[in-house]
Amino acid sequence: MSDLDLHPTAARCGGQATEGPVRDLLPPRETALGGSTVVRRLLPSLGRRMVGAWCFVDHYGPDDIADEPGMQVPPHPHMGLQTVSWLHQGEVLHRDSLGSLQTVRPYELGLMTSGRAISHSEESPRPHARLLHGAQLWVALPDGHRHTDPTFEHHPDLPRVTAAGLDARVILGTLDGTTSPGTAHTPIVGADLSLREGSRHQVPLDEHFEYAVLTMSGLTEIDGVRLEPGSMLYLGTGRRHLPLHAHSDASLLLLGGEPFREQLVMWWNFIGRTHDEIAQARDDWEKSSRFGEVHGYDGARLHAPELPPLPLKPRGRVR
Ligand code: MN
């Protein structure tokens, strides 16, 4: 997925790392993507840039796309991050400059590690299923791993943690001793929790991580806060358990990780450490160098927006 905002401000990863548990609702912001898809952006938000290394969270659908193109995101570049494609309904066809051609289906992990440079496109295949529902997430790469070669991984069968009324798929990192096969470069967790109506749980957490929960569907109560679909609750650090109560059949994305300490510049589809790195990446994409070529997408590649007039500055966690 791409940030298609034509006039992106210099978004900065690195929110305030709280010491201890909090319950902050993060309001979604509607943003148009390619095709007929409108997403609700939850990270970065006004008050918070990151949860662990998670620095970008879009939630979309469920949308009826039977008579629509669905998702159509033309070839665009990435640098310094991983993208996680996660679906509950429908499918997304991923193409990238490594030559990958992969349909990602519900509850399968599509994990693209950009390293220093990659480009990709994402589209609803033709024909496609009636309903499209999913999330697109980015993970910032730490300095020691951000210049690596790009890779794409597809993991159709993720490990699960189960209890009565709870079925959790571990998307990235480790939950309750169960680890995803997806390659992670920081202490992190992403998990999809399916909850049966009426069930109550105490999900084990790492007290050194910060966490947030996004409701994908259903009505839940998380540490006493009622959440509706599309709502995200930031939970802070210092928790050993997360109290969950499902008021209906529901599903949640649990995102967490060690608070990310590096200063970052996040602009358009790039994460770097300096203005010059970002400007170089933008130039390279516009000159069709470094980011490779995506073959087979029926349409033109995206152009990068203009850089803002003032230099982009690396920012820490405090706004
Ligand atoms: Mn993308």
Side-chain angles (χ1 to χ4, degrees):
M1 190 162 293
S2 166
D3 185 348
L4 292 190
D5 190 341
L6 287 177
H7 303 285
T9 51
R12 305 171 315 206
C13 278
Q16 174 74 57
T18 57
E19 302 298 327
V22 297
R23 296 178 297 182
D24 291 340
L25 270 174
L26 303 185
R29 182 167 62 91
E30 286 205 345
T31 303
L33 277 193
S36 54
T37 304
V38 172
V39 301
R40 294 173 292 282
R41 183 150 303 157
L42 294 144
L43 278 184
S45 71
L46 267 181
R48 186 158 300 282
R49 294 292 171 196
M50 300 181 83
V51 177
W54 300 100
C55 63
F56 187 94
V57 177
D58 277 350
H59 177 219
Y60 53 90
D63 293 326
D64 184 337
I65 59 168
D67 302 317
E68 308 271 350
M71 183 183 293
Q72 299 293 330
V73 183
H76 60 276
H78 285 295
M79 172 180 84
L81 56 88
Q82 293 175 293
T83 65
V84 171
S85 303
W86 188 251
L87 289 169
H88 276 192
Q89 291 171 293
E91 60 276 306
V92 170
L93 178 60
H94 164 97
R95 304 173 195 266
D96 66 38
S97 51
L98 303 171
S100 312
L101 176 65
Q102 180 66 55
T103 301
V104 179
R105 297 189 167 84
Y107 303 101
E108 299 178 352
L109 171 61
L111 176 65
M112 187 179 80
T113 302
S114 75
R116 62 181 172 274
I118 198 169
S119 55
H120 73 147
S121 63
E122 293 155 293
E123 62 197 287
S124 295
R126 283 164 274 187
H128 51 247
R130 171 176 285 274
L131 295 176
L132 180 64
H133 182 203
Q136 180 77 12
L137 310 105
W138 294 357
V139 178
L141 289 170
D143 198 45
H145 292 279
R146 68 193 186 94
H147 301 292
T148 58
D149 291 338
T151 59
F152 178 75
E153 301 169 42
H154 176 235
H155 299 286
D157 289 306
L158 293 173
R160 290 152 97 143
V161 175
T162 56
L166 169 70
D167 185 357
R169 290 171 172 85
V170 185
I171 302 168
L172 200 62
T174 301
L175 178 71
D176 195 18
T178 297
T179 299
S180 163
T183 303
H185 297 284
T186 51
I188 196 168
V189 67
D192 186 293
L193 280 49
S194 293
L195 307 168
R196 200 174 310 138
E197 179 178 354
S199 62
R200 292 175 184 272
H201 304 279
Q202 292 279 343
V203 176
L205 302 181
D206 182 326
E207 63 183 319
H208 303 294
F209 280 17
E210 58 180 342
Y211 290 93
V213 168
L214 166 64
T215 301
M216 294 287 286
S217 61
L219 296 172
T220 58
E221 192 175 313
I222 297 162
D223 193 19
V225 179
R226 286 176 66 99
L227 285 189
E228 301 198 350
S231 296
M232 188 154 155
L233 183 69
Y234 177 74
L235 294 156
T237 58
R239 293 175 182 271
R240 293 184 176 181
H241 293 94
L242 182 60
L244 303 180
H245 182 195
H247 292 287
S248 68
D249 285 353
S251 60
L252 303 171
L253 276 189
L254 173 67
L255 304 174
E258 208 167 75
F260 200 86
R261 303 293 181 193
E262 294 175 45
Q263 299 209 327
L264 304 179
V265 182
M266 180 174 165
W267 180 83
W268 195 41
N269 294 307
F270 305 129
I271 295 180
R273 299 298 185 274
T274 65
H275 172 91
D276 289 351
E277 267 182 58
I278 299 285
Q280 185 67 56
R282 183 192 179 282
D283 278 2
D284 288 345
W285 173 248
E286 290 299 297
K287 287 187 304 198
S288 295
S289 70
R290 177 173 153 195
F291 291 94
E293 201 172 328
V294 179
H295 295 285
Y297 183 83
D298 183 15
R301 69 212 290 273
L302 285 183
H303 278 289
E306 293 298 324
L307 282 164
L310 293 174
L312 304 167
K313 288 183 181 167
R315 305 285 183 175
R317 306 183 63 78
V318 182
R319 287 178 65 83

